[in-house]
């Protein structure tokens, strides 16, 4: 009976290092109007998760707080007016972002309109690894970048969580993709669809790119301006201000900014690509919920190939 009333969740009581995360029992949430209750089978671990835990991500409206946005699992109950999914349906998504979604828990209540059916043939662990990186990559390439077939795309950090999906989506769309990665990840990135992997100085080795993605912010944005052709675009994930736009204009380059948002329609559009294996998540390691802090510590080292996932099954 206890499992239907309370659940295990990884929580933080305040900002701090990775070992701030601890597991405790909390009440199972009740789905509100237009919401469903999801029995979470797996939760993706993203950079915004450990940034938030450390105090420089999104704000926490209350403490203790359950972190996590990427989730995949099974609908176990529906709230008033929620008729998009039935009990037993497998769903995945990035609900509520940037408000808290509480994905690091055995149950999460989520707006039905921010979830999508898990693509056919895809396991729960893989599904949990997808929402934030697929949405970020899709919105960056197609909504902000206006990507067209035949264009040259530069993806720094091409072996990372967002990077490895950017490469796959851009290549599938007919772009010529150049990735930056360490020597150990060269074959991995080529296997994703990149035509070239640069392991050293991208400003020296890459020129005349139509679209470059800035995943780092800071000086990286300004370095990318030197590799983009006039009329091309740099889409940043780290925010743009007057200095960015002024420098870009001096280079004859446009700018865009992706602040990822939930979008079940995009997850639906990506579903055939995922189901067919044309876009696939690389999951480097799966952790039990009790080791959420270890997952954060590993992610903060910055050398993960693909994704980290928490197993809540």
């Amino acid at each position: 009976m206890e499992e239907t009333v309370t659940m295990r969740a990884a929580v933080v009581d305040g900002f701090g290092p990775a070992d701030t995360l601890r597991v405790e029992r909390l009440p199972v949430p009740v789905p509100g109007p237009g919401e469903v209750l999801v029995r979470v089978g797996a939760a993706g671990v993203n950079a915004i998760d450990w940034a938030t835990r450390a105090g420089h991500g999104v704000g926490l409206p209350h403490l203790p707080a359950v972190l996590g946005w990427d989730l995949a699992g099974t609908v176990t109950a529906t709230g008033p007016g929620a008729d998009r999914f039935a009990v037993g349906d497998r769903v995945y998504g990035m609900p509520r972002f940037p408000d808290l979604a509480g994905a690091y828990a055995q149950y999460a209540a989520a707006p039905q309109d921010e979830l999508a059916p898990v693509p056919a043939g895809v396991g729960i662990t893989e599904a949990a690894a997808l929402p934030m990186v697929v949405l970020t990559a899709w919105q960056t390439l197609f909504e902000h970048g206006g990507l067209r077939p035949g264009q040259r795309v530069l993806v720094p950090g091409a072996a990372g969580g967002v990077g490895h999906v950017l490469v796959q989506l851009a290549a599938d769309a007919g772009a010529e993709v150049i990735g930056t990665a360490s020597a150990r990840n060269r074959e991995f990135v080529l296997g994703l669809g990149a035509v070239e992997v640069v392991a050293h100085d991208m400003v020296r080795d890459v020129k005349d790119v139509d679209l470059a993605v800035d995943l780092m912010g800071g000086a990286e944005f300004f370095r990318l301006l030197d590799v983009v052709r006039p009329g091309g675009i740099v889409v940043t994930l780290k925010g743009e201000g007057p200095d960015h736009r002024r420098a870009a204009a001096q280079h004859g380059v446009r700018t865009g900014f992706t602040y990822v948002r939930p979008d079940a329609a995009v997850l639906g559009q990506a579903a055939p690509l995922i189901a067919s294996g044309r876009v696939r998540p690389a999951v480097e390691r799966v952790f039990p919920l009790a080791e959420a802090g270890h997952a954060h510590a590993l992610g903060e080292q910055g050398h993960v190939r693909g994704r980290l996932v928490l197993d809540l099954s």
Side-chain angles (χ1 to χ4, degrees):
M1 181 65 179
E2 184 184 23
E3 282 294 325
T4 65
V5 178
T6 66
M7 64 180 183
R8 297 173 69 240
V11 305
V12 291
D13 292 310
F15 301 122
D19 60 9
T20 303
L21 280 161
R22 60 180 178 79
V23 175
E24 69 172 46
R25 297 206 75 90
L26 296 175
V28 172
V30 176
E35 295 182 349
V36 297
L37 182 66
V38 179
R39 174 60 170 91
V40 180
V45 179
N46 293 287
I48 191 63
D49 300 6
W50 58 75
T52 298
R53 186 216 71 236
H56 46 83
V58 304
L60 297 180
H62 56 76
L63 291 169
V66 181
L67 298 182
W69 285 274
D70 277 346
L71 60 81
T74 304
V75 174
T76 61
T78 60
D83 55 7
R84 186 161 174 252
F85 298 105
V87 171
D89 285 351
R90 298 195 317 152
V91 296
Y92 77 133
M94 184 196 71
R96 304 189 190 280
F97 187 83
D99 295 331
L100 290 178
Y104 291 7
Q106 290 179 301
Y107 291 89
Q112 64 172 1
D113 292 338
E114 295 180 358
L115 300 174
V118 172
V122 175
I124 289 296
T125 298
E126 289 181 295
L130 286 165
M132 185 171 284
V133 292
V134 167
L135 291 172
T136 300
W138 189 287
Q139 291 166 16
T140 295
L141 294 172
F142 304 119
E143 297 180 13
H144 300 294
L147 180 64
R148 299 188 303 276
Q151 289 189 319
R152 283 165 52 84
V153 176
L154 176 63
V155 180
V162 175
H164 86 294
V165 175
L166 280 163
V167 171
Q168 293 176 79
L169 281 177
D172 186 79
E176 177 185 330
V177 184
I178 303 162
T180 74
S182 64
R184 81 175 184 92
N185 285 320
R186 173 181 171 79
E187 294 305 316
F188 170 69
V189 174
L190 289 173
L192 298 171
V195 300
E196 182 181 353
V197 178
V198 178
H200 300 292
D201 187 348
M202 66 181 177
V203 174
R204 182 193 68 193
D205 297 336
V206 181
K207 298 295 180 186
D208 296 323
V209 166
D210 295 288
L211 190 163
V213 182
D214 170 31
L215 289 88
M216 298 291 293
E220 180 84 346
F221 176 92
F222 299 98
R223 295 179 68 226
L224 288 170
L225 295 176
D226 291 323
V227 307
V228 177
R229 66 165 180 81
I233 186 169
V234 176
V235 182
T236 181
L237 276 59
K238 296 298 182 179
E240 59 171 346
D243 290 346
H244 298 83
R245 291 187 287 271
R246 188 179 306 113
Q250 290 171 353
H251 284 73
V253 171
R254 296 171 293 127
T255 64
F257 171 41
T258 300
Y259 192 90
V260 67
R261 68 185 188 282
D263 193 329
V266 164
L267 293 178
Q269 287 178 269
L273 306 182
I274 297 165
S276 67
R278 288 148 64 192
V279 172
R280 62 190 187 279
V283 178
E284 176 160 306
R285 190 166 168 187
V286 179
F287 294 83
L289 181 63
E291 295 182 15
H294 296 307
H296 277 216
L298 179 60
E300 286 175 311
Q301 293 175 15
H303 302 296
V304 173
R305 176 188 286 182
R307 306 286 282 118
L308 303 173
V309 176
L310 300 179
D311 181 0
L312 291 101
S313 62

